[in-house]
Amino acid sequence: MYQPHEVLEEPKEITLSSIDREGKGMLKRADDKVYLESHAHRKKINIIFGITGVLIGLWLGTSAENSQEYLVPAIFTLGGLFWLLYGVFVNKKYKIFELNRLDGTITYPDRFFNPPLKGQFKDLKAVISISGNIDGYADTEYLKFANTFKPRKLDLLYKLYASDPRKEWSFYVWYMDKNRPLPPGTAFDPYRQQDYERRKASGFPRPLYFSHIPTPEATPEQQKEREQIGGW
C-alpha cells in the first residue's frame, strides 16, 4: 500500500547543528524554501564495495585449478570492477535529495548513471517496506519510493535509510505543505517569521494535506491571527 500524503505522527526534528554546508554531512540546506541532502556518500560505499569484490575475486582466483573453479572468482572480480568504476565516475551532483516547498517538487537519485528523478510531490508513490530476518519475523522498516516519474517494467524502488520511516514521511508531508507552518526543529527557527508573513499575505489558505496531529503557529498570537484570517 502506498503511504497517504498525510502527517501521520510527530515528525523527525531538523536541528540547526545538523546542517553541514561545507563538510561531509548529508544535510546541506534546510530553510523555508528548500530542504536539500547530498547522497554522494554512497560513492565511497560503492568504491569500498568494489575494491573488496576485486580483492576477493583475485584471492579466490589464486587457488582455482580449472576453468570451472574460475567462475566464482570472475564474478567477484567483474562485479567489483563495475561497482568500483561506478563509484569513481558517477556524477555526485546527480545523487541529491531535494524538497522544494514552494514549487511542490521532489528530486531524488535514479539508478546508476542516470540523472535524478523529479516531479510533483503530490504524485509521489511511497511505501514502507518491512524486511524479514532469518526466522521469518519482521525486522527492519524502510521508506522507499516507487518509480513514479519514470515508470519501468521492473519496478526498482529507491530506498531511504531512516531510523523511523513514518516520522520521516510525516516530515516530508508537513514540510511540503506550504500552507502549514514549518515543521518542528531549530533549523527552521530563523525562517518561521518570513514563512508566516508569506502565508498571511495569501490569506492563510487551508492545508494541502491532512494531518493527524495539531500544527499550530510558532506563537499564540500568530495562531490567533491565522484563525481569524484563515479560519483554521
Side-chain angles (χ1 to χ4, degrees):
M1 292 181 60
Y2 296 125
Q3 290 298 302
H5 284 68
E6 300 175 358
V7 181
L8 304 173
E9 57 185 69
E10 287 289 341
K12 70 172 185 178
E13 291 195 12
I14 308 301
T15 63
L16 192 60
S17 61
S18 64
I19 304 175
D20 189 359
R21 295 181 175 86
E22 304 296 336
K24 301 178 181 179
M26 282 180 53
L27 182 56
K28 301 301 180 183
R29 179 179 173 183
D31 54 37
D32 58 326
K33 298 178 178 65
V34 171
Y35 176 88
L36 176 65
E37 293 178 355
S38 170
H39 289 192
H41 65 284
R42 296 188 180 184
K43 283 170 56 73
K44 294 182 179 179
I45 296 175
N46 292 322
I47 291 173
I48 295 172
F49 187 69
I51 292 175
T52 302
V54 170
L55 292 176
I56 292 176
L58 294 176
W59 176 69
L60 292 175
T62 58
S63 60
E65 297 180 353
N66 54 61
S67 58
Q68 292 182 340
E69 292 182 355
Y70 275 113
L71 179 60
V72 174
I75 292 174
F76 272 97
T77 303
L78 294 176
L81 283 173
F82 171 80
W83 288 110
L84 176 59
L85 294 174
Y86 171 66
V88 171
F89 292 108
V90 67
N91 189 341
K92 67 178 183 180
K93 293 182 179 180
Y94 284 177
K95 304 307 176 182
I96 62 167
F97 175 83
E98 180 183 278
L99 299 173
N100 191 306
R101 177 171 164 89
L102 300 186
D103 291 346
T105 58
I106 180 172
T107 304
Y108 63 94
D110 196 1
R111 297 290 174 174
F112 303 119
F113 295 98
N114 296 319
L117 302 174
K118 182 178 181 179
Q120 289 294 312
F121 178 76
K122 64 181 178 62
D123 298 326
L124 179 68
K125 294 181 174 64
V127 298
I128 292 180
S129 173
I130 304 176
S131 64
N133 58 27
I134 58 175
D135 297 321
Y137 294 101
D139 188 12
T140 305
E141 291 185 332
Y142 297 100
L143 180 62
K144 297 181 179 182
F145 295 159
N147 295 317
T148 312
F149 311 125
K150 188 178 179 182
R152 302 181 178 97
K153 292 182 179 179
L154 180 60
D155 194 19
L156 298 174
L157 304 182
Y158 185 76
K159 181 190 296 184
L160 286 99
Y161 296 91
S163 58
D164 191 324
R166 287 173 179 79
K167 287 184 177 294
E168 191 84 11
W169 180 246
S170 293
F171 167 74
Y172 297 160
V173 176
W174 187 335
Y175 180 80
M176 292 301 286
D177 193 337
K178 64 181 180 180
N179 294 343
R180 291 189 186 276
L182 288 162
T186 56
F188 300 116
D189 288 349
Y191 310 99
R192 295 192 188 281
Q193 184 62 37
Q194 64 189 37
D195 185 74
Y196 173 82
E197 296 297 339
R198 173 187 63 80
R199 291 180 289 111
K200 179 181 178 181
S202 300
F204 291 115
R206 290 188 174 274
L208 302 174
Y209 307 118
F210 181 76
S211 176
H212 293 264
I213 61 172
T215 58
E217 299 295 332
T219 67
E221 292 76 18
Q222 290 179 344
Q223 177 63 29
K224 183 178 181 180
E225 193 168 22
R226 188 183 82 183
E227 291 173 356
Q228 291 175 342
I229 298 176
W232 64 283

